[in-house]
Amino acid sequence: MTATPPPPPGAPEATRLLSEWTAGLRDEDLGERATTWASHALLDWLAVAIAGRSEPLVQMLAQEYGGSGAQPCTLLARGAGARPQDAALINGAAGHALDFDDVASRMFGHPSVPVIPAALALAQAHQASGADLLRAIVIGHEVESRVGEMVGPSHYLHGFHATGTVGTLGAAAACASLLQLDAGRTAHALGLAATQAAGLKCMFGTMAKPLHAGKAAMNGLMAAQLAARGFTANPAAIECEQGFARTLAPVHRPLAPLDTQAGFAVEATLFKYHAACYLTHSAIEAIRQLRAQHGLTLDAMEAMTVTVAINHRGVCDIAEPDTGLALKFSLQQLATLALDGAATASLDLYTDATARDPRYAQARRRVQLVFVDAEDRNTAQVELLTRDGRRLLQSANVAVPATDLPAQWERLVAKAGAIATPVLGAARFAQMLEAVRTLRAAPSLQPLLHAIA
């Protein structure tokens, strides 16, 4: 047997520390705030995944890997079941199919969509409680954010989709918690997750991007299940020579101290209120402010310059989108839609017809993107030149976590109702909402599962 390479001198043993933290966290360590945030993330993910259930890519996965109602795990709003790993795959892809799910700045990706479908499937298979599921969500978010900080922006800029890569580790940690693995087996679960982690940014705007999320959920679940059986991996897989961080990040840093006194990573989750790539949201908000302040329409635009950080390049700068999916990653066209007053929160906007509309196609060619190498990765600066000669400036930054949690819940309820009620119906949506709201005290997931089946 090959000996495990030792960590480099002075570097924290990241895999061991994360494993010990995951295995040692108890419900009393969380507090109400973290579990409240976890329930917000759960509601948002459920609604987005239910709304995405009919997307072609999800239908294909369900046809290939779905089962029947006799299988142990629920496929969202399909009246059918699947094996745990297949449910994680299908539900995970559904949750990212619309690119309307939450994001995390520290992770550089989408935190809930790899974690929740894996945790939900495993929790259902093992008849876990509501508190068990919420704890797993908190743990998954934390591990993703900690590893995301380790690999930093260089991982993303190098071409990796952190939702697929870092997300696999978060899913594995969440599932290790549900299986009550000790620190040693949790380290093997993280190692098995690390060696399966994948996802290329060149897939943005295609069906493969949501597949990253589904595979992260599926692979993280499988990693924990195998580790529970004694399947081994390098227990220093995250930080060792030729391990996750060194291989996938040209520039990486040691694991930061695992101190949650100031709050858990889940408490910095950012929710989407426009159904497009999150990196477009600051620009959309700045343009909406210009429109409101000056009474503008698209016809008033002579030209527009949108200045954003360099991390937007290769992500949301598809210059000539020809599908509704590609439109979600075209900052140029989304800028024109926002100025025109289009409902960017509406799923109905993102169609092939909108992407190919000659009016918007002509306008987007008058939108220039400028990329700057700045520490602030989230602020967008918009300069609008009007046909009557005015030069208007506005900036916005949406990457600020909420502080008013009741207001955030109400906003998420409104979003969830708009996109999930057409699928579930009003009565089942109300049941889902109540089940999520009371989940922390629920001894069983059955009320929730009944509503979303």
Side-chain angles (χ1 to χ4, degrees), residues 14-22 146-147 190 238 255 258:
T15 314
R16 178 182 64 80
L17 293 173
L18 287 168
S19 300
E20 291 176 349
W21 181 84
T22 297
R146 298 299 184 148
V147 176
L190 292 178
I238 295 174
L255 177 71
L258 284 163

Side-chain angles (χ1 to χ4, degrees), residues 71-75 87 119-128 178 445-446 449:
Q71 295 294 329
C73 295
T74 299
L75 294 179
L120 181 64
L122 191 60
Q124 182 176 4
H126 286 260
Q127 301 180 337
L178 285 165
L445 300 181
Q446 284 309 308
L449 297 169

Side-chain angles (χ1 to χ4, degrees), residues 11-310:
E13 296 171 282
T15 314
R16 178 182 64 80
L17 293 173
L18 287 168
S19 300
E20 291 176 349
W21 181 84
T22 297
L25 191 71
R26 297 293 177 261
D27 291 340
E28 53 268 26
D29 301 324
L30 297 179
E32 184 176 353
R33 185 173 177 84
T35 53
T36 296
W37 272 92
S39 68
H40 288 198
L42 177 60
L43 174 64
D44 189 67
W45 176 81
L46 283 169
V48 172
I50 288 167
R53 65 171 292 282
S54 297
E55 289 296 297
L57 70 98
V58 184
Q59 299 283 51
M60 294 178 205
L61 288 170
Q63 290 164 5
E64 191 69 30
Y65 299 106
S68 66
Q71 295 294 329
C73 295
T74 299
L75 294 179
L76 297 178
R78 306 193 78 89
R83 300 182 312 155
Q85 291 176 27
D86 294 333
L89 169 67
I90 297 165
N91 291 336
H96 202 47
L98 301 173
D99 219 286
F100 209 3
D101 52 305
D102 61 26
V103 297
S105 296
R106 292 165 64 185
M107 176 199 174
F108 294 86
H110 300 257
S112 290
V113 71
V115 167
I116 296 180
L120 181 64
L122 191 60
Q124 182 176 4
H126 286 260
Q127 301 180 337
S129 70
D132 292 333
L133 177 58
L134 292 173
R135 182 180 65 253
I137 293 171
V138 172
I139 286 173
H141 274 243
E142 195 71 33
V143 169
E144 287 172 325
S145 289
R146 298 299 184 148
V147 176
E149 288 175 329
M150 284 184 68
V151 297
S154 75
H155 177 69
Y156 196 71
L157 293 173
H158 199 54
F160 289 105
H161 182 201
T163 304
T165 55
V166 177
T168 308
L169 296 166
C175 291
S177 169
L178 285 165
L179 291 173
Q180 298 181 355
L181 301 188
D182 62 22
R185 293 201 177 193
T186 299
H188 288 300
L190 292 178
L192 291 168
T195 202
Q196 297 180 84
L200 301 174
K201 277 169 58 185
C202 68
M203 300 298 171
F204 286 12
T206 76
M207 292 180 180
K209 185 175 189 276
L211 181 64
H212 296 168
K215 283 291 287 179
M218 179 184 191
N219 292 344
L221 172 56
M222 182 174 73
Q225 288 176 316
L226 290 176
R229 292 185 177 274
F231 208 106
T232 63
N234 187 326
I238 295 174
E239 74 279 3
C240 72
E241 190 71 32
Q242 298 188 336
F244 182 91
R246 289 168 178 255
T247 303
L248 302 185
V251 179
H252 54 272
R253 65 196 75 177
L255 177 71
L258 284 163
D259 180 8
T260 56
Q261 291 298 313
F264 290 83
V266 71
E267 298 170 35
T269 304
L270 302 167
F271 296 100
K272 284 187 172 186
Y273 301 103
H274 305 287
C277 173
Y278 195 76
L279 290 180
T280 68
H281 288 209
S282 290
I284 289 172
E285 288 296 330
I287 293 164
R288 285 163 60 95
Q289 291 174 34
L290 284 175
R291 174 182 164 84
Q293 290 167 7
H294 301 281
L296 300 172
T297 66
L298 180 59
D299 294 333
M301 183 183 81
E302 177 66 30
M304 184 189 301
T305 299
V306 180
T307 301
V308 291
I310 199 168

